[in-house]
Amino acid sequence: EWVNFVDFYHRIIDRFELTKEHNVSFERQLPDQPTFVEIDPDKLTQVMDNIISNAMKYSPEGGKITFKMEEEIDQIVISVSDQGVGIPKDNLEKIFERFYRVDKARTRKLGGTGLGLAIAKEMVEAHGGKIWATSVEGKGTTVSFSLPYVQTEEDDWE
Ligand code: ATP
Ligand code: MG
């Protein structure tokens, strides 16, 4: 299904903005013009939901979550950054493994199964994209993924 990812992304962020309980602010850095990608919207919603709920879960009081979308020549890159505890460098790749959780004591308190990012990875890869994370301990984490993108004439019609 062809989806304007800019609208799609805004709608997901809107939903989190309406239901969020704790004190975090949102910043959106999304393109103004539509960008069409061929995706399974239900699956990508699940991917986004997991990444964003992780960002919320690990955000401190008053933290900011930054949502970005960047268009490159043959892909779009979506990222969600938080100002939370961060992830040690050695664990950055492991968080995409099934049942992997960085700090058992910390994460037990916050709940979850450790499956969210493993499922996200599977779904992003099924779309021909990649998923990765960067982090500075104590400063925050950015989880990003790419989706293949072919610039079509439709994009210029607008
Ligand atoms: P589930 O998503 O199944 O409810 P979960 O959130 O613990 O459980 P994942 O989403 O797969 O599992 O994340 C795996 C682990 O990666 C988390 O338990 C946490 O330790 C770490 N992690 C993920 N996102 C962040 C983040 N934004 N900041 C800090 N740690 C994170
Ligand atoms: Mg999760």
Side-chain angles (χ1 to χ4, degrees):
E1 185 176 330
W2 286 93
V3 171
N4 173 6
F5 206 88
V6 181
D7 277 353
F8 174 77
Y9 199 176
H10 274 298
R11 283 200 304 270
I12 291 171
I13 303 168
D14 288 343
R15 172 160 52 80
F16 276 92
E17 197 141 45
L18 285 169
T19 57
K20 75 176 187 237
E21 287 158 11
H22 61 290
N23 178 25
V24 289
S25 61
F26 284 4
E27 182 178 324
R28 306 182 194 207
Q29 296 178 16
L30 275 59
D32 295 323
Q33 73 289 356
T35 298
F36 285 90
V37 287
E38 195 172 15
I39 57 167
D40 179 330
D42 292 339
K43 295 202 163 125
L44 261 296
T45 298
Q46 228 180 304
V47 170
M48 302 293 316
D49 279 359
N50 183 255
I51 294 172
I52 300 170
S53 41
N54 285 346
M56 304 272 278
K57 197 149 69 167
Y58 296 102
S59 278
E61 266 298 298
K64 182 170 81 175
I65 299 180
T66 307
F67 300 93
K68 286 194 200 178
M69 172 176 161
E70 284 158 314
E71 255 173 51
E72 295 175 1
I73 297 169
D74 56 358
Q75 61 180 12
I76 60 170
V77 177
I78 291 93
S79 65
V80 177
S81 305
D82 64 61
Q83 298 178 323
V85 282
I87 300 167
K89 211 174 170 49
D90 293 342
N91 299 322
L92 277 177
E93 288 180 15
K94 298 197 193 113
I95 61 170
F96 299 101
E97 293 170 11
R98 269 159 207 275
F99 306 118
Y100 187 81
R101 316 190 67 202
V102 172
D103 172 344
K104 301 277 183 293
R106 184 182 84 195
T107 49
R108 195 177 305 124
K109 194 176 65 187
L110 292 168
T113 56
L115 274 173
L117 287 176
I119 295 169
K121 181 176 197 280
E122 219 165 86
M123 290 181 173
V124 167
E125 288 177 352
H127 281 78
K130 286 195 165 65
I131 186 165
W132 67 96
T134 58
S135 185
V136 179
E137 268 188 274
K139 289 252 157 115
T141 302
T142 298
V143 176
S144 311
F145 68 90
S146 61
L147 290 174
Y149 167 59
V150 187
Q151 183 151 15
T152 57
E153 285 179 23
E154 279 133 283
D155 294 343
D156 301 328
W157 289 353
E158 199 73 13

